[in-house]
Amino acid sequence: MNRQVAIAPVARVRAIADNAERMAQELGRTVAAVERIVDDLKGFYEVVSPLLKRLR
């Protein structure tokens, strides 16, 4: 009985740590995706901006 009482909190902490690790990985992928989108938008702006200036 005492062993189960001691193991349960350890299992919960391990589950929390695993979830935190997965969340950190997801956040890293999200940040990378946002950086990619920003870079693409900057490239688009660099191409379109001169064209818009010529049309004015």
Side-chain angles (χ1 to χ4, degrees), residues 3 7 11 14 19-20 28-29 37 40 43-45 50-51 54:
R3 186 173 184 208
I7 291 174
R14 185 175 291 145
N19 285 338
R29 285 193 284 269
I37 291 169
D40 290 347
F44 179 75
Y45 176 78
L51 296 174
R54 287 183 187 171

Side-chain angles (χ1 to χ4, degrees), residues 6-40:
I7 291 174
V10 172
R12 283 194 294 270
V13 168
R14 185 175 291 145
I16 291 169
D18 289 345
N19 285 338
E21 184 177 350
R22 281 193 294 273
M23 289 173 64
Q25 291 171 353
E26 285 295 322
L27 181 60
R29 285 193 284 269
T30 301
V31 168
V34 169
E35 288 174 346
R36 172 78 188 267
I37 291 169
V38 168
D39 288 343
D40 290 347

